[in-house]
Amino acid sequence: MQHQQDIGLRAEQRAAITKGDPGFPGQSGGPAVAHARKQSQRLASLLEKAGRRSGAALAQVDEVLSVEREVKRAHITLLINIKNTLSAEQQAKLAAARGAAMR
């Protein structure tokens, strides 16, 4: 959203982008991100006690990876929806603005 003026973002586009996906509300995270953090913390706790409970730790690794996949998929879905909201001209302006910012 930092380049919205540069690309001439219209009010209805801004509304569509900020509405986004309720399960993944932008940078603030959301339920999916909170769940991922909780599962990662649980994994860390299990790893501290691993020893004979390595099976539980490995099962938790699978859970963490599954949740991380969900979060990444939601993020990519959000990015695709944002891109689809922008016109070709706005996408080109955004790419140029990002390129200039990286230099």
Side-chain angles (χ1 to χ4, degrees), residues 34-83:
H35 184 62
R37 284 188 192 122
K38 180 180 175 183
Q39 294 304 320
S40 293
Q41 290 169 347
R42 184 165 183 246
L43 174 60
S45 176
L46 285 170
L47 289 174
E48 287 177 8
K49 308 172 197 171
R52 293 188 177 145
R53 299 197 59 194
S54 63
L58 292 174
Q60 186 61 25
V61 167
D62 290 338
E63 179 63 24
V64 168
L65 293 174
S66 175
V67 172
E68 287 178 352
R69 180 186 180 285
E70 290 175 28
V71 169
K72 288 178 182 182
R73 190 176 204 300
H75 190 190
I76 295 298
T77 299
L78 182 63
L79 292 175
I80 291 168
N81 289 338
I82 290 170
K83 183 177 184 264

Side-chain angles (χ1 to χ4, degrees), residues 1-43:
M1 294 303 280
Q2 68 189 33
H3 297 293
Q4 60 185 309
Q5 289 181 343
D6 300 335
I7 66 171
L9 192 68
R10 296 186 312 271
E12 67 273 9
Q13 289 174 310
R14 187 181 197 308
I17 290 169
T18 55
K19 175 182 162 191
D21 179 355
F24 193 87
Q27 295 178 1
S28 65
V33 173
H35 184 62
R37 284 188 192 122
K38 180 180 175 183
Q39 294 304 320
S40 293
Q41 290 169 347
R42 184 165 183 246
L43 174 60

